Amino acid sequence: MSMSSADTHCPYCALQCAMTVLHDASSDDAVTTVTGRDFPTNRGGLCAKGWTSAELLASPHRLRMPLMRQSNGTLAETTWDEALDAVAAAFRDTKATHGPDANAIFGGGGLTNEKAYQLGKFARVALGTSRIDYNGRFCMSSAAAASNRAFGMDRGLPFPVTDLDDARTILLLGSNVAATMPPFLAHLAGARAAGGLIVVDPRRSATARLTEDGAGTHLQPAPGTDLPLLLGLTHIVIAEGLADRAYIEERTAGFDALRRSVAQWWPERTSSTTGIPVAQLRETARRLAAGGAYILTGRGVEQHVDGTATATAAINLALVLGLVGREGSGYGTLTGQGNGQGGREHGQKADQLPGYRSIRDPEARRHVAGVWGVDPDELPDAGIPATALLGELGGPVKTLLVAGSNVVVSAPDVDALRERLQALDALVVCDFFLSETAELADIVLPVLQWAEEEGTMTSLEGRVVRRRRALAAPDGARSELWIMSEIARRLGAASTWSTDPAEVFDELARASEGGVADYSGLSHALLDTGIEAYWPYRSESTPRPFTERFAHADGRAKLVPVDATPPAPTDRGAELTLVTGRYLQQYQSGTQTRRVAELNGARPEARLEIHPATASRLGIREGALVAVSNERGTVKARASVTTDIRHDTVFLPFHYAGDECANRLTEAIVDPTSAMPEFKRTRVMVAPDAGIPAPTTAAPIERPDAAAPHVVERPPVLVAANSEEAIHG
Ligand SMILES: Nc1nc2c(c(=O)[nH]1)N[C@H]1C(S)=C(S)[C@@H](COP(=O)(O)OP(=O)(O)OC[C@H]3O[C@@H](n4cnc5c(=O)[nH]c(N)nc54)[C@H](O)[C@@H]3O)O[C@H]1N2
Ligand SMILES: Nc1nc2c(c(=O)[nH]1)N[C@H]1C(S)=C(S)[C@@H](COP(=O)(O)OP(=O)(O)OC[C@H]3O[C@@H](n4cnc5c(=O)[nH]c(N)nc54)[C@H](O)[C@@H]3O)O[C@H]1N2
Ligand code: SF4
Ligand SMILES: [Mo]
């Protein structure tokens, strides 16, 4: 058969747009194409990343053999047996010499449910280590912590995304969906038509622009002042008698303490802290109370040292207004990575067992150990969150396996992290490309891409969808389920290690039974019948889990008082606040999208957004090369002079490596509850960069040729040929 096709979902973000992949192997140049497929979330639409996703399947950059570090420092191809023997030996030696917690795993929210589940089991059973966490800590942890505390459950959107279509008002805090999930904009159309899209962002982002022409309001607070803003809005709601007293009485607990906690955030104080006029504050509060309102948060308000408190304040506002668990209104957070939702439910988190259970809960340990066929007392205790785990590298942690993250670009303070990665006894990276993190590895294991594997993903609305295989993987690449089973076998691990995604899913379903994220009624076969599957799913789908009760034992939502310490004044001489975020055409650390000619052609480099007044004060012209620096490092980028940003703020995307890597500047300080790092508010100095060469990217990726912008001109390169410079640069 030369033509094959599969109904599947996009490899990138949490909207999980439905697509059909067509593979035509009839000629020598096999062609794989994607088309949008009708589905409630995307209605046939895809963004530029989705449309171009198939290009990477046959990419010349694709890894096709395991790589191993040679004595001369380069990476060279090796056989699977040799590579897996070496990985097993590294884990065994590390454990024997330094104890089980000297082995660590770093996972990712892009992994299927099956792989994320197996990775958690692999850490606890095959390695016996507590040291596992994942990049979702950098993404969803603040919103997750706030939702768990308030509702007893963390499902990003506790309602189908199509519920938003009928909203009259949507308060969207710190989310730039116009760039990060373009097909999602269709669900904002109703609120825009009603004049009720309220976007809170210190930048006039593409999403903020959607409020123009009467479609809504853009609130442009100082970065990091969302918490006072939300406390102030809650104050107004209560003071003006807009709170839903009957709902508060019937469905929540803790109102009196909450009321006291916002008492001091009167409108004038809120206004002077956030920079938002009192009239706009009052208008926003009244609009939210007028019916048909939703409150949604994104990374802009969550990726802060007070991210959990801010998400909690957003939830409190929604609860006081009576929006949650009612038809036609709601609160939610917009999950980011493809499986950002499912990836945070099945055991990749340091303190978690499958089904969103606590590893410290004796009953959960008994149940899951029973499914795994091991003694519950042998399961390790809770580990430590991602930033702390990365902080242990080269110290207590000697061997690290990374699967599904490019930490040396995406974690905070990457210059320091790079040194720690280099101090490891062994770094093992599973990837299909030589990411910047894989470049540092001792062993690189090439894995499958999305269209080559079977599995499930859980989208931003808590819906379990099927990822299906459309074509065979290239020779030499292997599935992570196979890799884990092979290492487990070499280590003589207990339990069984299936390589069949449907079987692993069945095991996951049993392990999750009775947990908060209960998948026990689901299977690949059932999902293939096309049913709608919102978790919890024991015998039926739960599209709106909070309609009757919240997940706490008493059925009530908890109002948790939080307070804000007003931030230090924003203008201290030459210092500016750096906020970081995303471009439409680049995805995350850029490993994938920087290799797609069309996408990288549109966004080939990081640009520093800076206000004209600030630029002129600093002597910076449009397009000029600037140095952005602080005590941790320096980033070189060209300036984009724009009135879309505040005077006191500059913006960089975090998709690039080398001199352009924004995370050379961010600090590894974290939220005390969620351990989310501060990605959105970093003090920097900006200066013209006279005489210093233009930015270079450490990634071995050629910029597209200007004459042929749709062609990647780089020939297939075997990594063995890589220079020292490319590996260590
Ligand atoms: N094109 C593209 N799409 C993606 C991704 C990608 O990398 N590229 N990544 C996916 C993932 S994993 C995620 S998590 C999502 C993220 O999706 P978003 O949350 O939309 O992404 P960000 O661009 O990080 O942040 C959103 C906005 O927050 C604003 N912001 C920064 N600081 C503050 C602040 O203090 N307060 C407020 N109110 N706003 C602030 C920024 O200016 C930015 O416009 O996108 C997903 N989709
Ligand atoms: N300054 C700043 N930093 C940030 C953020 C920010 O807003 N500002 N956002 C944070 C957020 S929200 C996130 S989610 C992180 C994301 O940052 P990362 O965790 O680095 O995410 P990706 O770039 O998607 O990295 C995924 C890597 O795994 C590979 N990969 C993809 N799928 C698979 C798979 O199935 N298996 C394996 N083994 N590999 C796979 C890809 O090729 C890529 O190299 O960055 C965080 N860092
Ligand atoms: S919005 Fe997200 S899921 Fe949809 S096509 Fe774009 S990247 Fe893929
Ligand atoms: Mo994310």
Side-chain angles (χ1 to χ4, degrees):
M1 196 186 68
S2 59
M3 278 285 271
S4 54
S5 101
D7 284 349
T8 187
H9 295 262
C10 177
Y12 298 113
C13 86
L15 195 56
Q16 282 299 289
C17 294
M19 52 168 58
T20 298
V21 180
L22 274 170
H23 181 68
D24 181 354
S26 57
S27 71
D28 282 351
D29 294 319
V31 182
T32 313
T33 50
V34 301
T35 51
R37 185 160 59 84
D38 194 37
F39 200 68
T41 44
N42 64 312
R43 299 191 178 123
L46 299 174
C47 77
K49 296 188 299 305
W51 283 118
T52 54
S53 53
E55 197 175 308
L56 291 175
L57 296 165
S59 166
H61 304 282
R62 190 79 192 264
L63 301 175
R64 287 157 187 274
M65 285 296 282
L67 306 173
M68 201 134 68
R69 180 82 51 199
Q70 307 299 298
S71 50
N72 68 0
T74 59
L75 282 169
E77 290 190 346
T78 183
T79 64
W80 271 102
D81 264 338
E82 234 182 296
L84 293 168
D85 286 348
V87 176
F91 282 137
R92 204 182 297 115
D93 293 351
T94 293
K95 185 174 183 174
T97 316
H98 304 284
D101 279 355
N103 283 319
I105 304 267
F106 199 95
L111 302 177
T112 58
N113 287 315
E114 292 78 357
K115 296 195 290 188
Y117 163 80
Q118 198 81 326
L119 202 59
K121 174 179 169 184
F122 180 81
R124 274 63 173 244
V125 177
L127 302 181
T129 182
S130 72
R131 291 318 195 242
I132 175 169
D133 212 56
Y134 78 126
N135 68 5
R137 188 68 66 178
F138 302 157
C139 182
M140 295 310 301
S141 61
S142 290
S147 284
N148 278 324
R149 200 161 67 174
F151 307 131
M153 174 197 277
D154 154 38
R155 209 185 84 185
L157 294 183
F159 50 81
V161 72
T162 43
D163 281 9
L164 294 169
D165 297 2
D166 302 320
R168 289 201 68 260
T169 301
I170 297 178
L171 177 64
L172 188 60
L173 298 130
S175 162
N176 186 14
V177 274
T180 53
M181 307 190 168
F184 182 90
L185 298 187
H187 306 294
L188 301 179
R192 291 179 68 210
L197 178 64
I198 307 170
V199 174
V200 183
D201 199 310
R203 293 189 305 146
R204 195 189 307 140
S205 63
T207 310
R209 286 180 189 280
L210 297 174
T211 64
E212 289 167 7
D213 303 323
T217 315
H218 175 205
L219 305 180
Q220 203 169 3
T225 62
D226 304 273
L227 178 51
L229 170 66
L230 289 159
L231 296 172
L233 289 172
T234 308
H235 176 105
I236 295 172
V237 166
I238 296 172
E240 292 196 3
L242 302 171
D244 188 333
R245 292 296 185 142
Y247 174 97
I248 291 169
E249 178 71 23
E250 193 194 334
R251 303 217 46 192
T252 71
F255 181 67
D256 285 341
L258 178 82
R259 180 161 42 81
R260 283 195 298 277
S261 74
V262 297
Q264 47 167 331
W265 285 100
W266 57 89
E268 291 71 19
R269 181 176 179 221
T270 306
S271 175
S272 72
T273 308
T274 59
I276 296 177
V278 170
Q280 269 190 349
L281 295 172
R282 290 195 189 279
E283 201 184 307
T284 303
R286 289 171 195 162
R287 172 116 210 164
L288 286 169
Y294 288 80
I295 298 177
L296 301 175
T297 62
R299 299 311 81 76
V301 295
E302 298 162 10
Q303 289 173 324
H304 291 285
V305 285
D306 60 0
T308 306
T310 306
T312 299
I315 293 172
N316 289 341
L317 175 61
L319 288 171
V320 167
L321 288 161
L323 304 182
V324 192
R326 276 193 169 162
E327 217 178 309
S329 65
Y331 160 83
T333 175
L334 299 172
T335 296
Q337 298 181 85
N339 197 27
Q341 180 69 54
R344 66 184 194 258
E345 300 166 358
H346 299 296
Q348 281 188 94
K349 272 176 149 171
D351 58 351
Q352 190 190 59
L353 288 176
Y356 226 132
R357 292 177 147 101
S358 166
I359 202 165
R360 292 227 155 120
D361 169 3
E363 171 50 30
R365 293 172 70 90
R366 201 196 50 74
H367 173 80
V368 174
V371 174
W372 290 348
V374 299
D375 178 351
D377 293 337
E378 281 171 18
L379 296 179
D381 194 2
I384 55 175
T387 310
L389 178 60
L390 296 177
E392 284 197 344
L393 305 184
V397 170
K398 306 294 183 193
T399 294
L400 173 72
L401 177 122
V402 179
S405 182
N406 186 9
V407 283
V408 81
V409 174
S410 57
D413 195 3
V414 289
D415 287 347
L417 175 61
R418 173 179 292 267
E419 284 177 22
R420 288 197 299 273
L421 285 164
Q422 282 165 332
L424 284 166
D425 291 352
L427 172 63
V428 184
V429 175
C430 298
D431 208 310
F432 30 73
F433 291 123
L434 194 71
S435 70
E436 285 74 16
T437 305
E439 284 177 25
L440 299 173
D442 300 290
I443 301 163
V444 183
L445 303 176
V447 298
L448 309 186
Q449 285 196 56
W450 101 110
E452 299 153 0
E453 67 178 5
E454 297 279 335
T456 58
M457 307 281 278
T458 305
S459 74
L460 85 178
E461 45 173 13
R463 180 179 182 135
V464 187
V465 300
R466 277 279 277 121
R467 171 177 280 195
R468 293 189 183 87
R469 178 185 313 159
L471 67 161
D475 285 346
R478 296 278 196 279
S479 82
E480 276 135 320
L481 295 181
W482 181 82
I483 291 171
M484 284 186 267
S485 81
E486 286 294 312
I487 302 173
R489 185 170 62 75
R490 283 169 168 77
L491 294 173
S495 194
T496 52
W497 301 88
S498 173
T499 60
D500 173 2
E503 264 175 36
V504 174
F505 187 91
D506 291 344
E507 190 185 306
L508 173 164
R510 284 200 306 283
S512 77
E513 187 171 4
V516 175
D518 188 330
Y519 284 40
S520 59
L522 292 170
S523 64
H524 281 200
L526 183 63
L527 289 164
D528 284 339
T529 63
I531 55 149
E532 170 202 285
Y534 293 93
W535 71 257
Y537 195 111
R538 286 176 74 86
S539 54
E540 58 181 19
S541 172
T542 316
R544 297 175 190 82
F546 302 148
T547 310
E548 267 142 43
R549 58 194 313 280
F550 294 99
H552 287 305
D554 65 0
R556 289 171 178 271
K558 282 195 177 60
L559 290 158
V560 180
V562 287
D563 200 7
T565 333
T570 27
D571 193 2
R572 277 202 254 132
E575 289 198 353
L576 295 164
T577 300
L578 169 72
V579 309
T580 61
R582 291 162 164 82
Y583 290 151
L584 198 164
Q585 293 89 347
Q586 295 285 5
Y587 191 68
Q588 313 276 60
S589 71
T591 310
Q592 291 156 279
T593 48
R594 282 188 273 127
R595 289 178 166 85
V596 178
E598 182 182 331
L599 300 177
N600 203 54
R603 279 294 190 185
E605 61 179 14
R607 286 283 188 141
L608 181 84
E609 290 178 22
I610 184 166
H611 192 275
T614 315
S616 112
R617 174 166 65 84
L618 299 172
I620 289 166
R621 280 172 299 106
E622 169 68 27
L625 200 58
V626 295
V628 190
S629 56
N630 60 22
E631 63 273 31
R632 284 171 295 283
T634 300
V635 165
K636 309 270 176 69
R638 279 176 214 294
S640 269
V641 179
T642 168
T643 54
D644 290 345
I645 196 147
R646 295 166 52 102
H647 293 69
D648 54 8
T649 305
V650 290
F651 174 88
L652 275 177
F654 79 103
H655 308 297
Y656 304 88
D659 283 353
E660 299 172 274
C661 183
N663 282 319
R664 302 182 94 154
L665 300 165
T666 51
E667 193 178 358
I669 46 166
V670 300
D671 177 290
T673 310
S674 66
M676 166 73 82
E678 176 63 71
F679 281 127
K680 293 291 196 263
R681 198 158 172 268
T682 303
R683 295 214 163 278
V684 293
M685 318 266 280
V686 176
D689 189 47
I692 300 176
T696 54
T697 304
I701 303 171
E702 265 27 292
R703 296 277 156 74
D705 189 351
H710 296 285
V711 178
V712 184
E713 79 277 60
R714 189 176 195 271
V717 170
L718 282 184
V719 187
N722 262 5
S723 67
E724 280 265 308
E725 202 188 328
I727 290 163
H728 298 290

